[in-house]
């Protein structure tokens, strides 16, 4: 079982930097961002890379997928999956102030037939059998106000994450922070998913490394990945051809 957390929830605030609005949890660390003139566009490179699960899905079948975000942030991935991809999307968020801020200042819609936000501790919510085997794209971005390391980063946690996924599903995780360890995190993911299931990007300039884990390992040929990347760029405007150049399996 995952130990239940009793967190002291930080205050939530925002700042505007020219054409971009940032979400903060009572510190200078940015927890998410939004273009003021394009509320659905993904501002940060690492957030775009959290969509790399699309490389493992036939583009015409994306419409049948279900996405889940652990950690709402500024609502970027939730809005993109629900409004741009138009797929069933659920976000799990611990702090009700984050949800209120996203609704009031980051143009997150109210819950509807496509999108909803569940106010809950992700560590506990993923134990709910209702979710098991239903998620095609699990996006994990869980940080506190200090952003020093992922809040949930244990082998039991990743085991539970794998249980959420459909056979063809993928998990993407943002690894960042001065107290985090890429090697330790990947070792835990590898123990849960299998080493052959793990892919990773090179770090971004800001130091974020996105890791992808497949429920069922596969090795699509490079020409297949490039063809899908071209379609991803054409349909949804994501820089997917660049992903293929800086994205590789951990085991050759």
């Amino acid at each position: 079982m995952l130990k239940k957390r009793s967190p002291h929830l930080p205050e939530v605030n925002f700042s505007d930097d020219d054409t971009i609005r940032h979400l903060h949890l009572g510190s200078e660390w940015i927890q998410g961002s939004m273009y003021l003139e394009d509320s659905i566009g993904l501002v940060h490179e690492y957030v775009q890379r959290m969509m790399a699960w699309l490389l493992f899905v036939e583009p015409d079948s994306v419409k049948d997928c279900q996405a889940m975000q652990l950690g709402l942030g500024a609502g970027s991935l939730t809005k993109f999956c629900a409004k741009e991809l138009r797929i069933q999307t659920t976000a799990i968020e611990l702090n009700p102030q984050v949800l209120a801020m996203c609704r009031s200042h980051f143009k997150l819609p109210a819950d509807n037939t496509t999108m909803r936000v569940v106010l809950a501790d992700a560590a506990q919510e993923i134990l709910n059998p209702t979710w098991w085997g239903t998620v095609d794209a699990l996006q994990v971005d869980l940080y506190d106000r200090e952003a020093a390391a992922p809040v949930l980063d244990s082998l039991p946690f990743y085991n539970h994450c794998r249980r959420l996924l459909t056979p063809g599903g993928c998990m993407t995780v943002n690894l960042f922070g001065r107290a985090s360890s890429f090697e330790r995190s990947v070792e835990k993911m590898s123990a849960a998913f299998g080493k052959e299931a793990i892919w990773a990007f090179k770090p971004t300039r800001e130091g974020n490394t996105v890791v992808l884990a497949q429920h069922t390992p596969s090795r699509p040929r490079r020409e297949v990945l490039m063809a899908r990347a071209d379609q991803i760029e054409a349909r949804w405007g994501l820089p997917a051809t660049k992903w293929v150049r800086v994205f590789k399996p951990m085991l050759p």
Side-chain angles (χ1 to χ4, degrees):
M1 292 288 290
L2 295 177
K3 187 167 71 173
K4 190 168 185 177
R5 296 177 292 138
S6 300
H8 172 69
L9 298 178
E11 66 172 313
V12 180
N13 56 318
F14 74 93
S15 64
D16 287 345
D17 179 13
D18 195 15
T19 61
I20 299 175
R21 175 165 293 170
H22 304 297
L23 179 80
H24 306 271
L25 299 181
S27 73
E28 75 276 11
W29 293 102
I30 293 170
Q31 300 285 340
S33 305
M34 177 187 74
Y35 292 115
L36 293 173
E37 298 300 323
D38 176 14
S39 64
I40 302 177
L42 300 179
V43 176
H44 300 292
E45 187 173 34
Y46 85 89
V47 178
Q48 296 169 2
R49 292 178 177 184
M50 295 285 280
M51 299 298 300
W53 61 272
L54 289 167
L55 290 170
F56 297 91
V57 181
E58 287 294 339
D60 288 340
S61 68
V62 169
K63 65 183 186 302
D64 301 317
C65 291
Q66 177 164 302
M68 175 180 282
Q69 294 83 41
L70 302 185
L72 180 61
S76 301
L77 290 169
T78 304
K79 288 185 295 184
F80 193 90
C81 288
K83 301 183 76 172
E84 188 69 25
L85 300 187
R86 299 182 180 181
I87 65 175
Q88 289 292 322
T89 305
T90 303
I92 312 298
E93 173 54 47
L94 179 65
N95 191 337
Q97 296 178 57
V98 170
L99 176 56
M101 180 64 74
C102 284
R103 292 256 162 85
S104 63
H105 289 81
F106 289 84
K107 299 187 179 179
L108 181 73
D111 287 1
N112 54 59
T113 55
T114 302
M115 187 214 83
R116 63 172 165 161
V117 179
V118 176
L119 282 172
D121 185 337
Q124 300 303 312
E125 187 63 26
I126 62 176
L127 303 181
N128 183 345
T130 302
W131 302 116
W132 298 352
T134 68
V135 180
D136 299 288
L138 179 65
Q139 297 165 312
V140 182
D141 194 7
L142 294 165
Y143 287 84
D144 61 15
R145 69 188 303 272
E146 299 302 329
V151 172
L152 297 175
D153 184 42
S154 68
L155 175 56
F157 170 68
Y158 291 123
N159 280 329
H160 293 311
C161 285
R162 186 176 186 273
R163 189 167 56 183
L164 296 176
L165 297 178
T166 60
C170 295
M171 173 185 74
T172 49
V173 181
N174 171 37
L175 296 179
F176 174 79
R178 59 188 179 278
S180 68
S181 166
F182 173 80
E183 289 79 13
R184 286 198 301 269
S185 294
V186 167
E187 184 177 338
K188 295 166 193 171
M189 289 182 222
S190 298
F193 286 80
K195 291 182 179 180
E196 67 279 7
I198 308 300
W199 299 61
F201 282 94
K202 294 180 181 178
T204 66
R205 290 186 299 275
E206 295 75 24
N208 300 79
T209 301
V210 171
V211 178
L212 181 144
Q214 298 176 279
H215 182 281
T216 305
S218 66
R219 285 290 184 273
R221 299 189 311 277
R222 181 178 175 82
E223 54 265 33
V224 172
L225 292 176
M226 285 302 297
R228 286 181 183 164
D230 287 340
Q231 292 195 54
I232 292 166
E233 291 203 3
R235 294 186 186 204
W236 301 299
L238 294 167
T241 54
K242 181 182 177 182
W243 296 347
V244 178
R245 295 196 298 272
V246 294
F247 180 62
K248 65 180 182 179
M250 294 297 290
L251 284 182

